Amino acid sequence: MTETLTPAAAEPLPLADVDLADLDNFTDGVTPWRMFHTLRHEDPVHWQPEEAPNSGFWALTRHADIARVDRDAETFTSSRFVNLEEVDDDQIKKRASILELDGVRHRALRSLIQRQFGASVINSYADFLRGLTATTLDAALAKGSFDFVKEVSADFPINVLARLLDVPPEDNQQLIDWGNRIIGNTDPDYADVLLHSAESEQYRDLPFRSPASLEVFAYGRELARQRRGGDGTDLVSRLVNTTPRDGVPLSGQDFDNYFLLLVVAGNETTRHTISHSMLALLQHPEQLARLQEDPSLIPTAVEEFLRWASPVYHFRRTATRDVELGGKRIKEGDKVVMWYASGNHDEEVFGNPYDFDVARQDNDHVTFGKGSPHLCLGNLLARTEIRIMFEELIPRLADIRLTGDVPRVRSNFVNGIKRLPVEVTLA
């Protein structure tokens, strides 16, 4: 069985044993938190060496330092990429999405679909989301024993994404597989080609160096061909039929990278948050009982789910000038990595951060970013999906039990759960 995250699990490692670049440290569900604990207390702005071809990075593990960097796009740019891979100028030109843009162009591309993720639109989806949740749960719970990730966590958000893209439900599994193969590019169970392997060099110009990107591009281009010139309101129609505010039309490459980001981001993070939330309730049955007794706590619990899950471990920035941070001298061009998962357990911000508390107040988590121009565009949709899922699920459960191991994605980028085997008794 998987281990439970408790204060004991956060016992620090010796600083010399901390290695945030070793992906095998991120597969047991405990070691990352031990490393973060050590760094917050002993070296909160920590230089982490990496193996070639990478050159190392500054690891920020305190909430305050993460917030400072996230807000300051002039000093800490996204334009050199937001994951740890180091790329040259030619790769940047070919691979950059809105995540890797700052300033006017970033705002212009973000605004293309921003309204579709605003409160009025998301609130109008409430009945659809509740009906979709019921359909997902009807099918899963009837089985009695099942993989919660496959039958619930993955099934629900991918159906939402299919609605936003206006694609048929029969394409759902393909969308899930693409996300796994792309975002899981460091996990041998998912990746077609492991990042930084010799074979990956032929895919160096593709997002995440994943050949699956070519399949996503082809799929998106066909949708664009069908929607161009139409009056649809789906995300693809918005991208192909709207001129950005800066007056510069989307190139074919811009569309490819934007569409791929929607496919990956629209599924992966919400899926993993739902999985981690269910696992936490399994490991803390007294918290599940609180929600069963008082469902009005669920909106508050959603914020604790997001803090606890921390589905994205980190995002990277690059220093545009020499700057001091936490007593360390960061040089222009250095990678600076915000470990959101650590910030979400910072004792200076969260009382008893290793307690899973569905009634936690003042939950200033950084799961979606903190004051950043890159604040997650889909944060309201994610919150709404998670809330409705647990509002519908919890009243149906008389009992739910974990029946096997819970393997993790081998990644220091996405905090993912591969499988969550459960057995349920219905209320």
Side-chain angles (χ1 to χ4, degrees):
M1 297 290 182
T2 190
E3 295 183 65
T4 302
L5 181 60
T6 65
E11 287 298 321
L13 288 172
L15 184 59
D17 293 341
V18 169
D19 189 351
L20 297 173
D22 184 350
L23 303 182
D24 292 330
N25 283 333
F26 291 81
T27 58
D28 66 4
V30 173
T31 301
W33 313 105
R34 298 181 66 198
M35 294 193 295
F36 297 148
H37 188 104
T38 294
L39 292 176
R40 283 197 307 275
H41 291 84
E42 297 185 31
D43 195 16
V45 181
H46 171 75
W47 179 255
Q48 174 64 65
E50 295 178 278
E51 293 184 0
N54 283 356
S55 57
F57 58 84
W58 292 102
L60 311 184
T61 49
R62 291 188 305 200
H63 189 282
D65 292 332
I66 291 166
R68 174 184 167 183
V69 168
D70 219 4
R71 292 185 177 114
D72 187 357
E74 289 189 6
T75 307
F76 303 100
T77 182
S78 300
S79 64
R80 299 302 303 182
F81 268 57
V82 297
N83 54 27
L84 295 178
E85 183 186 1
E86 294 172 22
V87 292
D88 60 31
D89 291 343
D90 188 53
Q91 288 173 290
I92 290 173
K93 290 177 182 177
K94 293 176 180 176
R95 291 170 53 174
S97 71
I98 58 169
L99 291 182
E100 287 88 18
L101 295 171
D102 289 318
V104 173
R105 186 61 173 167
H106 169 255
R107 292 191 294 272
L109 295 190
R110 186 179 171 97
S111 70
L112 285 175
I113 59 172
Q114 193 159 12
R115 183 173 295 178
Q116 274 56 46
F117 290 97
S120 61
V121 174
I122 298 305
N123 290 338
S124 74
Y125 288 160
D127 289 342
F128 161 72
L129 291 173
R130 205 166 290 278
L132 182 58
T133 306
T135 299
T136 295
L137 293 176
D138 286 346
L141 298 178
K143 297 180 178 181
S145 297
F146 56 93
D147 174 8
F148 190 89
V149 171
K150 179 180 179 181
E151 303 296 338
V152 178
S153 304
D155 184 79
F156 175 53
I158 207 66
N159 273 288
V160 177
L161 178 63
R163 166 69 175 263
L164 296 176
L165 297 176
D166 191 18
V167 299
E170 52 264 31
D171 291 353
N172 286 358
Q173 189 56 52
Q174 182 63 77
L175 294 170
I176 292 171
D177 290 344
W178 281 330
N180 287 340
R181 290 162 61 195
I182 291 169
I183 208 74
N185 66 337
T186 56
D187 189 309
D189 287 344
Y190 289 149
D192 301 297
V193 177
L194 285 173
L195 184 68
H196 296 318
S197 65
E199 191 181 359
S200 77
E201 191 62 20
Q202 64 183 301
Y203 303 110
R204 66 189 305 274
D205 292 337
L206 294 175
F208 297 90
R209 292 193 179 218
S210 173
S213 299
L214 293 172
E215 299 171 34
V216 176
F217 289 165
Y219 183 84
R221 288 167 188 168
E222 176 57 23
L223 293 178
R225 186 192 66 78
Q226 295 171 8
R227 312 282 169 79
R228 191 170 284 112
D231 57 1
T233 59
D234 60 276
L235 297 183
V236 175
S237 294
R238 290 284 302 175
L239 291 180
V240 298
N241 295 317
T242 308
T243 300
R245 290 177 179 175
D246 62 357
V248 181
L250 247 65
S251 67
Q253 183 175 285
D254 289 336
F255 174 82
D256 285 346
N257 293 330
Y258 211 140
F259 181 77
L260 183 139
L261 178 63
L262 291 173
V263 168
V264 172
N267 168 41
E268 288 284 324
T269 52
T270 304
R271 176 179 80 180
H272 293 313
T273 299
I274 292 172
S275 297
H276 279 291
S277 302
M278 189 68 256
L279 177 60
L281 292 172
L282 286 161
Q283 295 173 330
H284 301 84
E286 78 288 352
Q287 298 298 310
L288 176 57
R290 291 179 75 181
L291 296 180
Q292 289 173 319
E293 292 165 7
D294 184 4
S296 71
L297 283 174
I298 291 176
T300 300
V302 167
E303 300 307 311
E304 182 71 341
F305 293 163
L306 288 161
R307 182 190 76 88
W308 190 263
S310 298
V312 176
Y313 279 122
H314 74 258
F315 269 112
R316 162 204 169 182
R317 300 291 185 258
T318 302
T320 61
R321 60 181 177 88
D322 291 358
V323 62
E324 185 174 304
L325 187 64
K328 302 294 179 69
R329 191 67 180 172
I330 294 172
K331 297 179 181 178
E332 179 183 352
D334 283 354
K335 292 191 295 186
V336 180
V337 180
M338 303 172 291
W339 290 88
Y340 294 144
S342 177
N344 280 344
H345 289 80
D346 189 337
E347 296 84 350
E348 295 297 316
V349 177
F350 304 98
N352 302 312
Y354 296 103
D355 289 351
F356 176 66
D357 180 4
V358 297
R360 183 182 295 274
Q361 300 298 310
D362 302 319
N363 199 332
D364 190 24
H365 64 76
V366 293
T367 297
F368 295 119
K370 186 64 180 172
S372 170
H374 290 272
L375 180 75
C376 176
L377 193 60
N379 76 86
L380 179 58
L381 175 60
R383 286 179 158 108
T384 304
E385 289 182 65
I386 296 163
R387 174 179 59 80
I388 290 175
M389 168 55 69
F390 285 96
E391 285 176 347
E392 292 295 318
L393 172 61
I394 287 172
R396 297 183 182 221
L397 298 176
D399 189 31
I400 181 166
R401 298 168 298 283
L402 188 63
T403 60
D405 290 334
V406 182
R408 312 288 178 128
V409 178
R410 182 179 178 269
S411 173
N412 62 3
F413 178 54
V414 61
N415 182 16
I417 290 176
K418 295 179 182 179
R419 292 181 297 280
L420 183 60
V422 299
E423 182 177 3
V424 300
T425 303
L426 299 184

